[in-house]
Amino acid sequence: RTSFHSRSVSFGPVMSVGCRLVVEMVVSFVARRAFLLTAIAPIAQRLPAHADGRSSYRLANGEVTVPDRPWECGGIQLVGEPSLVGSGSSSAVFGISSADGARVAVKIAWPGRASATVENEGKVLSALNRNNVQGVCKLRGECKLPGSDRVVLVLDPLVPAPTIDRIESLASVPLQFKAVEGLGIALVQILAASVATTDVQILVNGASGVPLL
């Protein structure tokens, strides 16, 4: 069991001293530093629509083409028109409605080595989901983008606006503490699931302070 009081962290007997020190350092670091927000819509050029029902976007890292008509990814039916959410070094992210009405995040890898990176991310998320780790995306489906070898992940939830890129930009100290607390709990559970990471990027819901990795 993990509990947080102010900036001190107490752990149950299953947590090692090394784990305790790592999390204390990370929580202190997060309280002072900004994280890159990947769900900020980048400057992008939407190209003319294709006759076969696909939309293309030109982004800083290249072009990506997404079906506008219904398609399936890992058993998830994607039926809504895609909307560009963000772009990073390994992928572009779109918000698309699924057949059950949920708005999901669809992460499409860039060609080449980036696909292997996104594929590995899917394996890590699957392991974390099996261990019921709090505060991480749920992997709902995985596939290849139709007509290409790009890896696609379907993730839930799609964090609603407003999202922030600096914890200190949250409107109140209680919200800031909630974000740090949530991240600390997630990191403890990630370590307990035998997963280590050196690249932590979070989205924080600006209204609730709830973080998502």
Side-chain angles (χ1 to χ4, degrees), residues 20-183:
R20 176 177 59 81
L21 292 174
V22 167
V23 174
E24 285 181 345
M25 288 188 295
V26 170
V27 171
S28 177
F29 175 81
V30 172
R32 293 172 172 81
R33 294 292 303 273
F35 277 84
L36 174 65
L37 179 66
T38 56
I40 294 178
I43 298 175
Q45 178 185 2
R46 183 166 183 171
L47 303 177
H50 297 257
D52 58 358
R54 295 179 298 153
S55 293
S56 292
Y57 297 80
R58 181 175 292 134
L59 306 172
N61 291 319
E63 292 186 11
V64 60
T65 299
V66 189
D68 281 336
R69 59 191 179 188
W71 56 294
E72 181 182 331
C73 183
I76 303 299
Q77 292 290 331
L78 302 172
V79 298
E81 181 178 351
S83 60
L84 181 63
V85 174
S87 175
S89 60
S90 64
S91 62
V93 180
F94 293 83
I96 304 179
S97 296
S98 58
D100 61 6
R103 193 74 172 167
V104 295
V106 178
K107 188 169 192 173
I108 302 175
W110 300 116
R113 295 177 61 183
S115 277
T117 299
V118 173
E119 184 176 19
N120 184 66
E121 179 183 345
K123 293 177 181 178
V124 171
L125 284 174
S126 181
L128 296 178
N129 294 165
R130 288 196 303 270
N131 283 276
N132 297 313
V133 174
Q134 299 179 38
V136 300
C137 296
K138 303 298 182 184
L139 178 64
R140 295 190 59 189
E142 182 175 350
C143 65
K144 295 292 181 68
L145 185 67
S148 78
D149 61 354
R150 298 189 188 193
V151 174
V152 178
L153 304 180
V154 180
L155 307 173
D156 185 40
L158 178 65
V159 180
T163 54
I164 67 163
D165 61 350
R166 299 177 65 89
I167 287 179
E168 57 264 40
S169 296
L170 284 165
S172 67
V173 171
L175 285 178
Q176 293 173 10
F177 180 77
K178 187 173 184 179
V180 173
E181 180 184 44
L183 180 58

